[in-house]
Amino acid sequence: MALIACQGVSFGYEGNIAVSGLDFEVHSGDYLCVAGENGSGKSTLIKGLLRLKTPLKGSVLMGGGLKPNEIGYLPQQTAAQKDFPASAYEVVLSGRLAAQGVRPFYSRTDKKIAAENMKRLGVDSFKNRCYRELSGGQQQRVLLARALCATKKILLLDEPAAGLDPVVTQEVYRLIETINRETGLTIIMVSHDMQSAIKYASHILHLQNAQVFFGKTEDYLNSEIGAKFLGGERA
Amino acid sequence: MINTLMEMFSYTFLVRAVVVGLLVSLCAALLGVSLVLKRYSMIGDGLSHVGFGTLAIATAMNAAPLTVSIPIVILAAFFLLRISENSKIKGDAAIALISSSSLAIGVTIISLTTGMNTDVCNYMFGSILAMSKSDVTLSIILAIAVLGLFILFYHKIFAVTFDENFAKATGVKTGLYNMLIAFLTAITIVLGMRMMGALLISSLIIFPALTSMRLCKKFKTVTICSAAVSVVCFFFGVVISYIKATPTGASVVLVNIAAFLLFWAARFIPWTQRKEALCCFIAERRKV
């Protein structure tokens, strides 16, 4: 049973189709990388998977008992966050909000889960520091910990390495890979960085305003589109 | 000093004004943290101008000002929120339009009915004499409701303020909480407007949040500190306005400016020195 299955799905803005012909399945434990150039519909797809956008055509099916509030999400950072007065702990704990429901305050379980995830990502050493004073890599780890607090099944990452230097970028990718391997969490990641994508991901979904490739990473490397796209990257 | 305070609080109208003012400044400071961080500061300003228009209408109709103003300003708050979420119309321009339109409507109505008199000045810059007994009861009830809702939804307000996209993605009804913030802001502004003045009330929202953000680094401490700063500043503002016979609203704003500068300057002193200075201060106080 697939966690997420798209069947002939199109997404768009006000009648303009941003991405169409989506036909793919994500199974539990997969590491899917969504590739494509700017404006190829990657972010629109993520919004669609998060149910922030309804498909124009086709349907997105959630299987395996996956509920919309069980998706962990790592969004791109906004300008307002860069000078936000909040401690790392407060940010991580806010990932438990969806599980909180109508209760006004966090339970002991919520705090325990937040503490576990902070430990897993090495955030606990600076959990009382101000979010805006952390380095880019530390901020990203805090946001990852928050995303882990919101899910046990699937993690959606939107350009997790945007704006990070090369060393930290590799660190973040390795961290994501470890999470995928150790916890069996399904990962869907949007990325420009093809080299890292093929290194870590098990599946590739290539978009050019339509689905041009979906399959295993090995098959992608041998495909015409993959060879062309990666060749362009290398040159 | 104590004699002055005793004398001040022997006037019932002043006691009423101070009680309502303290509650309003507490609510405004709490909401202000979220509004400033969400880049919604101008909404507070826009709403106060709408409030001015509704006050004029209420006076013309001989109705109770609060009962007319509150529903209209709440409607305006939802409308402004919609505008700032809709990227097609630029939010700041729309707010400026609404502010000046309500001012124009208000001034026209006043000049057609009662004529341009001291009332206009009182609405614009506030008057400590504005609160009647029934106003006070309503204000206290509403202020307690605002405080209660803020505490109950504190974690949700934090999440919606810090990262709306994430909150929305994990199934939090962000639209609902944005409306809650707008709703509470509207009530707070109407309650405080006649004392602080339509042109000055937005400072109660913006100043305490910005002041506490100079020094505090956690959302919780920013919120608590801004509530404390706001209440203290309001109290000193009223006392100064009583002693020096200055306009209340303006005095409160001036004290807020002073607090802001103080906190801003304190940032340049390292934390260890700040702690020492604080300890010395407390020790000396004890000796006295």
Side-chain angles (χ1 to χ4, degrees):
Chain A
M1 182 74 187
L3 268 186
I4 293 181
C6 284
Q7 295 171 342
V9 176
S10 302
F11 289 111
Y13 293 91
E14 288 153 22
N16 299 321
I17 290 174
V19 58
S20 62
L22 293 166
D23 250 311
F24 65 91
E25 288 189 344
V26 183
H27 293 267
S28 187
D30 282 0
Y31 186 153
L32 172 71
C33 180
V34 183
E37 284 142 37
N38 282 341
S40 59
K42 293 175 301 196
S43 296
T44 316
L45 171 64
I46 289 279
K47 280 196 186 127
L49 293 179
L50 290 168
R51 311 226 153 184
L52 301 180
K53 219 166 206 338
T54 44
L56 298 176
K57 230 170 61 185
S59 55
V60 181
L61 302 170
M62 304 248 176
L66 184 67
K67 292 184 207 116
N69 66 356
E70 286 181 333
I71 299 180
Y73 176 42
L74 181 77
Q76 292 192 33
Q77 287 204 49
T78 59
Q81 280 167 16
K82 298 235 156 82
D83 62 340
F84 199 96
S87 69
Y89 180 61
E90 284 177 314
V91 174
V92 174
L93 198 57
S94 74
R96 293 298 301 163
L97 199 74
Q100 191 188 38
V102 288
R103 278 180 293 126
F105 305 108
Y106 293 111
S107 68
R108 204 170 293 162
T109 328
D110 291 330
K111 286 175 185 159
K112 211 180 105 205
I113 291 173
E116 275 166 17
N117 285 316
M118 284 194 296
K119 201 160 190 182
R120 180 181 295 155
L121 296 186
V123 176
D124 48 352
S125 56
F126 49 84
K127 70 174 193 179
N128 284 322
R129 278 185 50 203
C130 181
Y131 178 79
R132 66 179 164 201
E133 287 169 359
L134 301 176
S135 71
Q138 287 172 327
Q139 286 183 348
Q140 209 64 334
R141 275 195 277 163
V142 169
L143 295 183
L144 254 178
R146 178 183 65 165
L148 285 179
C149 281
T151 186
K152 280 193 216 91
K153 288 173 182 150
I154 188 161
L155 206 54
L156 247 69
L157 313 166
D158 195 354
E159 299 275 4
L164 299 178
D165 67 55
V167 177
V168 180
T169 300
Q170 288 313 312
E171 239 178 70
V172 168
Y173 282 128
R174 269 202 294 278
L175 204 60
I176 295 166
E177 205 244 333
T178 325
I179 292 168
N180 175 247
R181 197 159 26 91
E182 285 179 359
T183 63
L185 214 66
T186 312
I187 308 262
I188 300 180
M189 177 177 79
V190 166
S191 178
H192 280 305
D193 185 352
M194 282 315 292
Q195 296 308 324
S196 301
I198 53 171
K199 197 163 145 199
Y200 296 113
S202 66
H203 292 73
I204 303 277
L205 173 67
H206 194 136
L207 301 178
Q208 274 175 7
N209 298 105
Q211 180 175 323
V212 289
F213 181 89
F214 171 69
K216 288 213 157 85
T217 309
E218 302 94 82
D219 299 337
Y220 181 70
L221 292 173
N222 297 325
S223 70
E224 203 181 312
I225 170 85
K228 201 171 136 199
F229 199 63
L230 288 170
E233 285 260 319
R234 282 196 191 111
Chain B
M1 179 68 193
I2 289 172
N3 282 339
T4 328
L5 282 181
M6 293 283 277
E7 183 196 323
M8 205 182 131
F9 287 114
S10 61
Y11 299 102
T12 32
F13 77 91
L14 262 179
V15 176
R16 285 208 290 253
V18 170
V19 168
V20 174
L22 286 177
L23 282 170
V24 166
S25 38
L26 190 62
C27 295
L30 294 177
L31 292 165
V33 175
S34 186
L35 288 172
V36 167
L37 287 168
K38 278 172 87 71
R39 309 286 192 264
Y40 281 174
S41 311
M42 281 309 288
I43 288 186
D45 205 46
L47 287 182
S48 59
H49 289 73
V50 175
F52 172 78
T54 59
L55 270 188
I57 294 171
T59 322
M61 289 177 7
N62 255 331
L66 284 185
T67 37
V68 177
S69 295
I70 288 175
I72 300 180
V73 177
I74 288 173
L75 276 181
F78 289 158
F79 184 62
L80 285 177
L81 202 69
R82 266 287 137 76
I83 291 175
S84 49
E85 278 167 3
N86 185 350
S87 51
K88 262 199 223 156
I89 313 164
K90 287 282 165 275
D92 56 342
I95 291 173
L97 274 184
I98 290 172
S99 306
S100 47
S101 319
S102 349
L103 265 187
I105 292 170
V107 169
T108 314
I109 289 176
I110 291 172
S111 70
L112 283 180
T113 51
T114 56
M116 296 292 264
N117 51 23
T118 43
D119 279 0
V120 184
C121 189
N122 284 345
Y123 292 159
M124 290 279 202
F125 303 108
S127 159
I128 195 102
L129 304 167
M131 306 303 282
S132 73
K133 208 164 183 184
S134 60
D135 285 350
V136 174
T137 325
L138 188 62
S139 301
I140 291 174
I141 294 169
L142 285 174
I144 289 170
V146 170
L147 280 179
L149 284 170
F150 185 87
I151 293 168
L152 276 182
F153 291 105
Y154 166 81
H155 290 293
K156 270 124 186 156
I157 289 174
F158 168 76
V160 172
T161 309
F162 179 71
D163 194 340
E164 211 172 317
N165 285 330
F166 176 83
K168 217 194 266 172
T170 48
V172 176
K173 292 184 190 67
T174 53
L176 190 74
Y177 295 115
N178 276 335
M179 293 228 299
L180 178 76
I181 295 173
F183 174 72
L184 298 181
T185 310
I187 293 181
T188 309
I189 282 179
V190 176
L191 291 184
M193 195 174 60
R194 280 182 312 143
M195 192 187 308
M196 289 293 294
L199 293 182
L200 297 174
I201 179 73
S202 57
S203 66
L204 272 194
I205 289 187
I206 298 160
F207 261 116
L210 283 179
T211 303
S212 54
M213 270 177 230
R214 292 314 99 198
L215 285 186
C216 299
K217 290 176 177 174
K218 290 183 190 171
F219 192 75
K220 200 181 243 166
T221 49
V222 168
T223 310
I224 294 170
C225 175
S226 111
V229 166
S230 181
V231 167
V232 170
C233 286
F234 180 82
F235 188 77
F236 277 106
V238 171
V239 172
I240 289 171
S241 99
Y242 175 76
I243 296 169
K244 299 277 171 203
T246 48
T248 318
S251 316
V252 173
V253 177
L254 286 177
V255 176
N256 265 303
I257 295 174
F260 177 81
L261 292 176
L262 200 71
F263 273 58
W264 176 76
R267 200 159 62 147
F268 296 105
I269 307 165
W271 172 237
T272 45
Q273 282 182 30
R274 245 186 273 157
K275 216 153 87 182
E276 267 169 37
L278 202 69
C279 290
C280 286
F281 179 73
I282 292 168
E284 259 173 47
R285 276 271 128 146
R286 286 227 177 103
K287 266 183 231 156
V288 173

